[in-house]
Amino acid sequence: MDPHVLYYILAGLLIMIGLAGTIVPVLPGLPLMFAGMLLAAWVDDFQQIGIPMVIVLGVLALLALVIDFLSTSMGAQRVGASRKAVIGAFVGTVAGLFVLPPLGLLLGPFVGAMGGELLHGREVGQAARVGFATWLGIAFGVVLKLTLAFAMLGLFALAWIA
């Protein structure tokens, strides 16, 4: 089998896993997508996907990392969340992947952030507000990352067929 075919298969897998990673929090979604796109461009000696497009795709992937970090922390910080709440949201998200998928992905961050706030000594009402704000930040981040993911896919496809 031609090694180029194997590289293209690997590139496609990275892109698909990366797309899933925009929703699944333990996978670095857009960086994986970018790696797949970069691999496809490299296999073709950057004929279809040129260096300028690779740079644009890389910038979008980096922007996704910044959004991922900021969306969670800003949502939590707006309501005065403790560090325990942010850690709790992360733990809740990961646990939600395994406990009640896909419902766990929705409830995990909220429950984790709320639990972190309760451990921090906050009242239930404040802990619930922090949990909701953290969840809202994560949801907003996922929407933005999905938007960037589809923008990357669209740019990649346009560059490939042009």
Side-chain angles (χ1 to χ4, degrees):
M1 181 181 282
D2 183 9
H4 288 90
V5 172
L6 293 175
Y7 288 136
Y8 283 127
I9 290 171
L10 178 59
L13 286 172
L14 285 170
I15 291 168
M16 287 188 298
I17 292 168
L19 187 57
T22 59
I23 298 170
V24 178
V26 294
L27 294 174
L30 273 70
L32 283 175
M33 286 181 64
F34 174 71
M37 293 173 180
L38 179 62
L39 177 59
W42 174 78
V43 169
D44 190 45
D45 290 325
F46 300 95
Q47 296 301 308
Q48 299 292 96
I49 309 295
I51 297 295
M53 180 56 71
V54 169
I55 291 170
V56 168
L57 295 170
V59 168
L60 291 175
L62 284 174
L63 181 60
L65 289 174
V66 171
I67 286 171
D68 205 17
F69 174 74
L70 290 178
S71 64
T72 303
S73 62
M74 287 177 69
Q77 288 176 352
R78 285 186 84 88
V79 291
S82 68
R83 182 164 169 75
K84 290 179 184 176
V86 175
I87 293 169
F90 176 76
V91 170
T93 302
V94 173
L97 282 171
F98 302 106
V99 176
L100 290 171
L103 187 60
L105 276 176
L106 294 173
L107 294 177
F110 171 78
V111 171
M114 188 172 169
E117 281 298 286
L118 291 172
L119 287 174
H120 190 70
R122 306 282 174 129
E123 293 182 15
V124 174
Q126 174 65 17
R129 280 190 294 281
V130 167
F132 180 72
T134 303
W135 176 86
L136 199 58
I138 291 170
F140 183 68
V142 167
V143 169
L144 288 176
K145 288 188 305 180
L146 277 171
T147 302
L148 286 173
F150 284 109
M152 287 174 68
L153 285 172
L155 289 171
F156 183 82
L158 285 174
W160 191 268
I161 60 174

